[in-house]
Amino acid sequence: MAGPTLRDVAKRANVSIRTVSNVVNGYAPVSDELRARVQTVLDELGYRPNLIARNLKQGRTGMIALVVPELDVPYFAELAREIITAARARGYVVMIDQTDGDGDRERELLGRDSRATLFDGLLISPISVTAEELRGRANKVPIVLLGEHIFNGSLPHVAIDNVAAAREATTHLLDLGRRRVAAIGDQPYATGETAQLRTTGYRQALARAGIEVDETLIVSTPHFHRRLGAEAVQRLIALPEPPDAVFCYNDLLALGAIRALTRAGWRVPDDVAVVGIDDIEEGQYSTPSLTTVAPDKGELARRAVDALLETINAAEPSGPPPEIVVPHRLIVRESTAGGQPT
Amino acid sequence: MAGPTLRDVAKRANVSIRTVSNVVNGYAPVSDELRARVQTVLDELGYRPNLIARNLKQGRTGMIALVVPELDVPYFAELAREIITAARARGYVVMIDQTDGDGDRERELLGRDSRATLFDGLLISPISVTAEELRGRANKVPIVLLGEHIFNGSLPHVAIDNVAAAREATTHLLDLGRRRVAAIGDQPYATGETAQLRTTGYRQALARAGIEVDETLIVSTPHFHRRLGAEAVQRLIALPEPPDAVFCYNDLLALGAIRALTRAGWRVPDDVAVVGIDDIEEGQYSTPSLTTVAPDKGELARRAVDALLETINAAEPSGPPPEIVVPHRLIVRESTAGGQPT
DNA sequence: TGAGGGCTCTGCAACGATGCAGACATCATG
DNA sequence: CATGATGTCTGCATCGTTGCAGAGCCCTCA
């Protein structure tokens, strides 16, 4: 079962364990002759270092954990991909867990019996746990928050400028001449901070255009899945004065909205223009393809991993935790332009 | 930085390290009084067991690795989700890595310097590494193969019956009265075994219907992404006798195909019916929604994890490695039925 | 009374690796 | 030739935990 250890190799090569270790790691000087002899035995036995033992001795594991609500949500899948890539480039591997948006699950991950001690740090995209809980529970494990919640600055945080992103998306719709722009995805309660920021951006855009907000056009959704986008649109088009454009707080809502509009016989973008946020790949291939605000996911991942590794390597916390803002840009596709394929 | 250890707690509570350990684990009998006293100190210091040390002592980590080509491919994201869930139910956490279909990357994961020793086992969905390589390299790490490649039985393997799945999908198209059924996704080379099985099923269906195979209707693609599905369709509809149905070897190809058909002004399913394999969520919301063959992903994940844990826990290999076949079923949606939304 | 048996609790060794200090041999230098 | 500097190699202690064997102690029962 278990592979050969340094001791096995040392015995067979008639050298000390320490010398074998030196050969394996290339640390201390070893004569070429001896090195060759030890290497031969290493190969013969097929030695592989036991990383658990190494980790115990060195106090770090080279593993970080990524905690997302649902891995099969395209945005998180794409983000996870980038994070794994960024982590690997820095010599780390990534353990992934899902919370299903369950606050208890999130807390459990930080609790006494969790495996948090297996990881050098934690990247978490929290849904319902609050910053205070995070800080209180896990003051030992380095944490970086991902793309959700703007907290009170108690923990490092990486995200796009949600207010600006929402404002730009809404402004784009207004620039098309649309005047009844709906918003789908508000979450007017404690843990819906990202959604609220997007609502703020939406209101800003309307205000700048001198348009009064029609509160009936703002639809709340408890989460951001396709079905809720479809349901929200069905309600909106049943209004006496239906919208001529819809700003959805993420691409899944938008794709659900497009689906419902199409089925109801409304043309997108002719009758209703639709824009989302996230730039998931699916939106490039939907019919019509989806205009969206694209966060720079690669940059987001790199900045997040870098921030986490800094926290890990910093002996003492220095200064306030960074609030990192990642660039985004509007990508116009058929759902608002009716133009060329992309 | 580092949290308190058993030793710290023991010193403070004036008991032996072993007793603290017993309290933490509830192993040996400890008097209620002493237990309470130790527990108090545990809470005071906020003790958390160092899982690395525990793992070293116990020789297992409670972690398994999942290796997929691309995590942002919806099928793999959905599968990963199920695997994480299944693993958690059994007390395991999951590290995920991506190979980007790069055989060298796959081999690297199994090579000397990999972190394979950190994991109790490996679930791998191989693209270009062969079974022989897997077996030779990693005879120490328990491995279960996922959903790709039917090897010569050298390693445990979990997948659907690809021949049957393809046959049923094709037969469904024939039952609609279609006679020129194209196939997109063949991979007539060494590592395209899954694709070849699907081609076999396609041919079987045509043969049973007494239809001769038109080889120009079988389009090969090096991988299974949307873009290639779109490109393949563009070639097919340019044929003198274009197809009236397309069987795509996965849903992404199918969605790309639908997109290209729609843009070219062809109606789906009226002009061309389309069917895929995988049942990714996106296919439920596409326009039109996608008929597909759905593998039971939950079952696939559970069987895979169970098989892996069995391999891990079995002292000696017993009998030939299992070939586990997971059920699948055809789900008819608009892309072949033109019927009700789903 | 004293042997035997439970119940608690403890100390030692070990998992497999690395950090550190030093042993030993060799070599250059004055 | 003595000295110190270098270059190789080794042994011990240690990371934090658990397995194992056994030490006390109290109680029971002949």
Side-chain angles (χ1 to χ4, degrees):
Chain A
M1 191 65 192
T5 70
L6 283 184
R7 190 195 346 239
D8 300 328
V9 177
K11 195 177 301 179
R12 180 135 168 193
N14 268 316
V15 293
S16 75
I17 292 177
R18 201 62 188 76
T19 296
V20 182
S21 172
N22 287 336
V23 170
V24 170
N25 293 294
Y27 278 175
V30 179
S31 67
D32 289 346
E33 185 194 13
L34 186 56
R35 175 181 306 278
R37 182 154 59 91
V38 171
Q39 189 60 56
T40 305
V41 179
L42 283 170
D43 292 340
E44 274 176 22
L45 295 183
Y47 170 81
R48 296 189 190 196
N50 180 321
L51 297 184
I52 306 177
R54 181 179 288 174
N55 290 341
L56 172 61
K57 185 64 180 155
Q58 300 186 335
R60 49 183 292 283
T61 63
M63 297 190 289
I64 60 178
L66 169 64
V67 182
V68 294
E70 296 167 290
L71 189 53
D72 56 344
V73 166
Y75 174 73
F76 290 118
E78 295 180 10
L79 186 59
R81 182 205 174 98
E82 298 291 343
I83 285 174
I84 290 173
T85 302
R88 190 199 348 250
R90 291 155 181 76
Y92 277 76
V93 296
V94 180
M95 197 286 302
I96 300 184
D97 206 354
Q98 299 164 128
T99 61
D100 294 316
D102 180 345
D104 291 337
R105 184 80 60 71
E106 293 180 346
R107 286 179 206 101
E108 181 187 318
L109 279 165
L110 306 165
R112 161 153 309 136
D113 295 328
S114 87
R115 297 184 200 250
T117 55
L118 275 176
F119 309 109
D120 295 339
L122 207 56
L123 291 172
I124 181 167
S125 180
I127 286 288
S128 62
V129 73
T130 69
E132 290 314 314
E133 289 178 308
L134 280 177
R135 197 160 50 150
R137 295 252 179 178
N139 49 0
K140 294 302 188 295
V141 186
I143 293 184
V144 169
L145 300 176
L146 277 183
E148 295 285 341
H149 291 259
I150 299 294
F151 287 132
N152 51 7
S154 57
L155 285 171
H157 180 268
V158 183
I160 61 171
D161 180 341
N162 278 293
V163 175
R167 193 176 57 232
E168 289 162 27
T170 307
T171 299
H172 169 64
L173 295 170
L174 296 171
D175 287 348
L176 297 173
R178 311 293 166 133
R179 281 303 170 265
R180 287 191 58 75
V181 179
I184 299 179
D186 190 31
Q187 298 181 334
Y189 39 83
T191 56
E193 300 172 31
T194 298
Q196 290 162 36
L197 292 171
R198 293 179 181 176
T199 300
T200 300
Y202 165 79
R203 291 180 186 276
Q204 282 184 3
L206 291 183
R208 290 184 188 184
I211 297 178
E212 197 173 349
V213 174
D214 177 351
E215 299 293 340
T216 63
L217 291 182
I218 302 181
V219 182
S220 299
T221 64
H223 55 255
F224 285 179
H225 285 192
R226 296 179 184 85
R227 187 173 52 78
L228 295 185
E231 292 173 3
V233 149
Q234 281 158 8
R235 258 173 292 149
L236 286 169
I237 59 181
L239 288 177
E241 289 184 88
D244 55 10
V246 181
F247 163 45
C248 296
Y249 288 13
N250 86 341
D251 283 357
L252 285 188
L253 289 172
L255 290 165
I258 289 177
R259 162 83 179 162
L261 287 166
T262 304
R263 285 207 62 77
W266 296 60
R267 290 167 303 158
V268 178
D270 310 52
D271 300 324
V272 179
V274 177
V275 57
I277 294 186
D278 279 352
D279 188 33
I280 63 177
E281 192 180 338
E282 179 178 345
Q284 296 175 36
Y285 290 86
S286 59
T287 305
S289 58
L290 180 63
T291 294
T292 191
V293 176
D296 187 336
K297 299 194 196 79
E299 181 74 4
L300 180 57
R302 286 186 293 274
R303 298 291 298 273
V305 172
D306 283 342
L308 185 60
L309 296 191
E310 267 175 44
T311 309
I312 290 170
N313 294 324
E316 291 303 317
S318 58
E323 285 283 333
I324 298 170
V325 177
V326 171
H328 64 265
R329 67 196 172 94
L330 182 74
I331 299 181
V332 178
R333 300 204 188 95
E334 295 163 356
S335 71
T336 62
Q340 294 307 305
T342 49
Chain B
M1 193 67 191
T5 71
L6 283 184
R7 195 206 329 249
D8 300 328
V9 177
K11 196 177 300 178
R12 178 136 171 194
N14 268 315
V15 293
S16 75
I17 293 177
R18 200 62 187 76
T19 295
V20 181
S21 172
N22 286 336
V23 171
V24 170
N25 293 294
Y27 278 174
V30 179
S31 67
D32 290 346
E33 184 195 13
L34 186 57
R35 175 180 306 278
R37 180 152 61 91
V38 172
Q39 189 60 56
T40 304
V41 178
L42 283 170
D43 292 339
E44 274 175 22
L45 296 182
Y47 170 80
R48 296 188 190 197
N50 180 320
L51 297 183
I52 307 176
R54 181 178 288 175
N55 290 341
L56 172 60
K57 185 65 182 159
Q58 300 186 334
R60 49 182 292 283
T61 63
M63 297 189 289
I64 61 178
L66 170 64
V67 182
V68 295
E70 296 167 290
L71 189 53
D72 55 345
V73 166
Y75 174 74
F76 290 118
E78 295 180 10
L79 186 59
R81 180 203 176 101
E82 296 292 342
I83 285 174
I84 290 173
T85 301
R88 189 198 350 248
R90 291 154 182 78
Y92 277 76
V93 297
V94 181
M95 196 284 303
I96 301 185
D97 205 355
Q98 299 164 127
T99 61
D100 294 316
D102 180 345
D104 291 337
R105 185 79 61 72
E106 292 179 346
R107 286 178 206 101
E108 180 186 318
L109 278 165
L110 305 165
R112 160 154 310 133
D113 294 329
S114 87
R115 297 183 199 251
T117 55
L118 275 177
F119 309 108
D120 296 338
L122 208 57
L123 291 172
I124 181 168
S125 180
I127 286 287
S128 63
V129 73
T130 69
E132 290 315 313
E133 288 179 307
L134 279 177
R135 196 159 51 149
R137 294 255 182 177
N139 49 0
K140 294 302 188 297
V141 186
I143 292 184
V144 169
L145 299 176
L146 278 183
E148 294 285 342
H149 291 260
I150 298 294
F151 287 132
N152 51 7
S154 58
L155 284 171
H157 180 267
V158 184
I160 61 171
D161 180 340
N162 277 294
V163 175
R167 193 176 58 231
E168 290 162 27
T170 308
T171 299
H172 168 64
L173 295 170
L174 296 170
D175 287 348
L176 296 174
R178 312 292 165 134
R179 281 303 171 266
R180 286 190 60 72
V181 179
I184 299 179
D186 190 31
Q187 299 181 333
Y189 38 82
T191 55
E193 300 172 31
T194 298
Q196 289 162 37
L197 291 171
R198 293 180 181 175
T199 301
T200 301
Y202 165 79
R203 290 179 187 277
Q204 282 184 5
L206 291 183
R208 291 185 188 183
I211 297 177
E212 197 173 348
V213 174
D214 178 350
E215 299 293 339
T216 63
L217 291 183
I218 301 180
V219 182
S220 298
T221 64
H223 55 254
F224 285 179
H225 286 193
R226 295 178 183 86
R227 186 172 53 78
L228 295 185
E231 292 173 2
V233 149
Q234 281 157 7
R235 258 172 292 149
L236 286 169
I237 59 180
L239 288 177
E241 289 184 87
D244 56 9
V246 181
F247 162 45
C248 296
Y249 287 14
N250 85 342
D251 283 357
L252 285 189
L253 288 173
L255 291 165
I258 288 177
R259 160 87 180 160
L261 287 166
T262 304
R263 284 207 63 76
W266 296 60
R267 289 166 304 159
V268 179
D270 308 56
D271 300 324
V272 179
V274 177
V275 58
I277 294 186
D278 279 353
D279 188 33
I280 63 177
E281 191 180 339
E282 179 177 345
Q284 296 174 38
Y285 289 86
S286 59
T287 305
S289 58
L290 181 63
T291 294
T292 190
V293 177
D296 187 335
K297 299 193 195 81
E299 180 74 4
L300 180 57
R302 285 186 293 273
R303 298 291 299 273
V305 171
D306 283 341
L308 185 60
L309 296 191
E310 266 175 47
T311 310
I312 291 170
N313 294 324
E316 291 302 317
S318 58
E323 286 283 333
I324 299 171
V325 177
V326 170
H328 64 266
R329 68 196 171 91
L330 182 74
I331 299 181
V332 177
R333 299 205 187 95
E334 296 164 354
S335 70
T336 62
Q340 294 307 305
T342 49

